[in-house]
Amino acid sequence: MAVYTEVTDDELNAFIAQYDLGAVLSCKGIAEGVENSNFLLVTERGPYILTLYEKRTRREDLPFFLGLMEHLADKGIACPLPVQGTDGQALRELSGRPAVIVTFLAGMWPRRITPHHCAELGTALARLHLAVADFRMERPNALSLDGWKDLVGKCAPRADEVARDLRATLEAELAALEANWPAGLPSGVIHADLFPDNVFFRGDGLSGLIDFYFACNDFLAYDIAICMNAWCFEADGSFNATKARMLLTSYQRVRPLSPAELAALPWLCRGSALRFLLTRLYDWLNHPPGAFVRPKDPLEYLRKLRFHQTVRGLGDYALDDGGSYQV
C-alpha cells in the first residue's frame, strides 16, 4: 500500500477542523501511487483525496503543483482541485508532512487500453497544453538530459546485475541523446507522467487527469512521447501503431504539431524511454527491504528503448513521416 506516513485519529480530526467539510466518516489508504501517501477521505460533505507529501517531493515545488491544478480547473480541464481551509490556505501540515486535500475525481483508469482510450487521451493532452499557455509559474524538468546523466552515473556500477551489458547500453544511449536532443521546439508546462493510472474514464468518456506531481516545463511534444511509450505498447512488447495514430490524430485536431515536432518524435520517444528506464532502475537497485511498494520493472522500458533505437522516421511507426530523422 502506498502509505508511508500513518495518521492518528486525533491528528486527522484536528487537521479536518481547519476546513468546512464536516466530520470525518472514514479515511482509508490508497494502494496505488509510489511517491506520496494518499488516502480516500470521506466527510459529511462527501469524498476527497488527502495527500501527504513524502521526502521525494520537494516542499518548494508544491505551490507550482497546486497552482497548476487551480489554473487547469479554472480553464475547464477536469482535474483535482485543492481544497482551501477556513483560512483560505490549501497547503498545510499533517503528521510532520506537507499535506493537502483535493476534490474527488470520479472514474476508473483503464486496465485494458483500446485505440478509443488513446484518442480520448490525445484530445485531453492537447487541451491541457493549450490551457497552460498563460500559466506563469515555471518548474524546470529535473528529469531531462542533466538528470539522466546523474542517474546513469548512480546506476551504471550495478546496472549489469539487472541485465547483461545494461551499463554499456545506458552510457551509449545517453551519448546519442546528448548529441541529437532537439532544440527550439514549442515548450510549456507538461504533465510528464500521464500513464494510464493517471487518466480516469467513465464509460467511454475521459473524466479527468490526476497526479500532477511531475509536471514541469519542457517540450510539449515530449509529453506526447511519454504517452506513446505508456499507452501504445502491448503486453508482449510490440508497438501498436493504431493506438499511436489515434493518439496523434486526436491531439492534432486540437493542437496541430509543427513539422519539427513530428520529426523529433523518435528522439523524444527514446528520451522518454531512457527516463523511465533510469528512474525504475534506480528504485530497483535501491529498494529497501520490507518496503510496502514493489518497484516497477525497469526492463519494460529497456525493451521499449530498443524498439525506438530501430526507428529512422515516423514511417517506422506506421505513421505519416514528419521529416528526416538521422542517427
Side-chain angles (χ1 to χ4, degrees):
M1 179 176 290
V3 173
Y4 305 94
T5 299
E6 297 293 340
V7 180
T8 68
D9 290 346
D10 288 344
E11 288 174 325
L12 180 61
N13 287 328
F15 183 79
I16 295 301
Q18 300 173 88
Y19 296 84
D20 185 20
L21 298 177
V24 175
L25 302 182
S26 66
C27 187
K28 182 179 180 181
I30 297 173
E32 295 170 351
V34 296
E35 292 291 327
N36 300 305
S37 296
N38 295 291
F39 301 85
L40 175 58
L41 171 70
V42 181
T43 77
E44 291 175 322
R45 293 290 180 88
Y48 300 89
I49 299 296
L50 167 64
T51 297
L52 277 65
Y53 300 101
E54 301 296 342
K55 295 179 181 179
R56 289 177 63 167
T57 301
R58 302 193 314 163
R59 184 185 294 261
E60 55 265 36
D61 286 335
L62 294 177
F64 173 89
F65 299 140
L66 301 182
L68 176 61
M69 287 188 279
E70 291 171 346
H71 179 88
L72 290 172
D74 186 60
K75 293 287 187 174
I77 303 296
C79 68
L81 180 65
V83 177
Q84 296 180 353
T86 54
D87 60 358
Q89 299 298 312
L91 180 62
R92 54 191 75 242
E93 192 162 297
L94 175 60
S95 301
R97 295 281 186 264
V100 70
I101 295 173
V102 300
T103 54
F104 181 80
L105 193 65
M108 295 283 290
W109 66 270
R111 269 60 174 182
R112 179 177 174 272
I113 307 301
T114 69
H116 174 77
H117 291 130
C118 295
E120 290 282 301
L121 172 67
T123 299
L125 184 61
R127 291 185 62 229
L128 184 153
H129 288 165
L130 293 180
V132 297
D134 59 348
F135 183 62
R136 299 309 176 199
M137 300 178 72
E138 294 187 359
R139 177 177 179 264
N141 186 0
L143 291 170
S144 189
L145 284 170
D146 288 342
W148 304 340
K149 185 175 182 179
D150 179 63
L151 284 169
V152 168
K154 291 176 178 177
C155 295
R158 296 181 56 204
D160 289 354
E161 297 174 17
V162 179
R164 183 178 178 180
D165 297 326
L166 180 55
R167 176 174 187 161
T169 298
L170 296 177
E171 292 173 343
E173 182 62 18
L174 177 63
L177 287 166
E178 287 180 323
N180 293 280
W181 196 244
L185 299 180
S187 300
V189 175
I190 66 171
H191 185 285
D193 193 39
L194 210 52
F195 278 62
D197 58 353
N198 288 330
V199 182
F200 285 2
F201 287 79
R202 297 185 70 180
D204 291 333
L206 191 150
S207 60
L209 311 174
I210 68 167
D211 199 353
F212 289 85
Y213 301 118
F214 283 102
C216 57
N217 289 76
D218 208 325
F219 299 141
L220 300 180
Y222 181 59
D223 231 3
I224 299 173
I226 291 171
C227 291
M228 286 176 64
N229 275 323
W231 291 73
C232 301
F233 282 85
E234 300 302 316
D236 63 2
S238 62
F239 180 76
N240 189 315
T242 301
K243 292 179 179 178
R245 277 197 300 272
M246 296 292 279
L247 171 62
L248 286 172
T249 300
S250 296
Y251 183 97
Q252 293 202 90
R253 288 196 184 106
V254 179
R255 179 189 169 266
L257 294 168
S258 69
E261 288 177 293
L262 288 167
L265 270 178
W267 280 114
L268 296 173
C269 285
R270 283 174 68 162
S272 164
L274 182 67
R275 174 263 190 262
F276 288 99
L277 166 57
L278 286 170
T279 50
R280 288 185 177 194
L281 178 61
Y282 181 86
D283 288 345
W284 190 276
L285 293 172
N286 296 279
H287 186 60
F292 289 116
V293 178
R294 181 178 180 179
K296 295 180 179 179
D297 180 13
L299 298 185
E300 175 189 348
Y301 270 81
L302 177 60
R303 292 186 289 270
K304 292 177 181 180
L305 174 60
R306 286 174 172 161
F307 168 78
H308 293 304
Q309 288 173 336
T310 69
V311 170
R312 294 297 179 269
L314 291 187
D316 290 341
Y317 291 124
L319 303 170
D320 292 334
D321 198 349
S324 62
Y325 170 71
Q326 299 296 327
V327 177

